[in-house]
Amino acid sequence: MPKSRYRAAALGGSADEVEAAFYDALHNGDIDQLMACWADEDDIVCVHPGGPRLVGAAAIRGAFEAMFAHGVIRATPERLRRVESLGAAVHNVLERVDVLTAEGTQRAWVVATNVYLKTAQGWRLVAHHASPGRSEVAEATAPGQLLH
C-alpha cells in the first residue's frame, strides 16, 4: 500500500483517506493497518453480514484476524453515498467482493455503512455495518421532496 494512505489512517487524514486505507488493509490482509483506521474508543462497532454485533477493538480485531486466516478480503467499494459534517461522516457503499472458490472467482455484493468521527487523532472509523446485497438492486431512489 502507498505510504501516504497508511499515514492517513495512522495520523488523521480525511474520512475518504481513512476509508481507502481500510479497504487497502482488507486487500492486503494487514490487521495493524486495518486497526489503525478505527477509533480508540470502547464502543466502536462492527457487524459483518449475518454476524453478531462486535463491540470494542479486541472483538473487531479477533473477527478480522479470523477472516484473514483464510486469506485477504477482496472488497472494493463502489457507488459511494456520503453525508458529512464538521465532525462526522457517514459513507454508504456497495462493496463488490471477489471470492476465490474451487470453481474460480465468484462475485458477491455487500451493502455497507461506514461511520467516521473526527477525533483528537484525526478521522477514525467508529462503525462498520455490512449486509448482503445484490448489485442489480443496489439502491432505490426517489425524487427529493421538501420536508418543510
Side-chain angles (χ1 to χ4, degrees):
M1 174 176 114
K3 245 185 183 179
S4 61
R5 284 192 182 163
Y6 184 75
R7 282 194 307 127
L11 301 178
S14 68
D16 287 338
E17 290 169 325
V18 174
E19 186 159 85
F22 175 77
Y23 285 102
D24 282 344
L26 293 176
H27 282 241
N28 296 323
D30 187 334
I31 192 68
D32 292 327
Q33 176 187 337
L34 184 127
M35 294 309 297
C37 297
W38 287 89
D40 187 21
E41 301 291 333
D42 292 337
D43 291 330
I44 58 176
V45 176
C46 182
V47 179
H48 295 123
R53 179 172 65 172
L54 305 167
V55 179
I60 293 168
R61 183 182 191 98
F64 279 106
E65 285 175 333
M67 287 190 285
F68 289 159
H70 298 287
V72 300
I73 301 166
R74 293 183 171 93
T76 304
E78 297 184 354
R79 300 186 200 176
L80 170 65
R81 299 283 185 155
R82 67 170 65 86
V83 177
E84 296 186 16
S85 69
L86 292 175
V90 178
H91 292 187
N92 186 269
V93 299
L94 177 66
E95 294 177 351
R96 184 186 75 242
V97 182
D98 295 321
V99 181
L100 299 176
T101 68
E103 295 81 33
T105 301
Q106 302 293 314
R107 180 155 292 159
W109 297 93
V110 173
V111 178
T113 301
N114 299 317
V115 180
Y116 302 90
L117 292 181
K118 193 164 190 177
T119 71
Q121 292 77 35
W123 288 95
R124 290 291 188 272
L125 185 61
V126 294
H128 171 75
H129 188 269
S131 300
R134 296 187 332 214
S135 67
E136 63 272 14
V137 289
E139 64 185 53
T141 58
Q145 298 177 8
L146 289 177
L147 297 177
H148 304 280

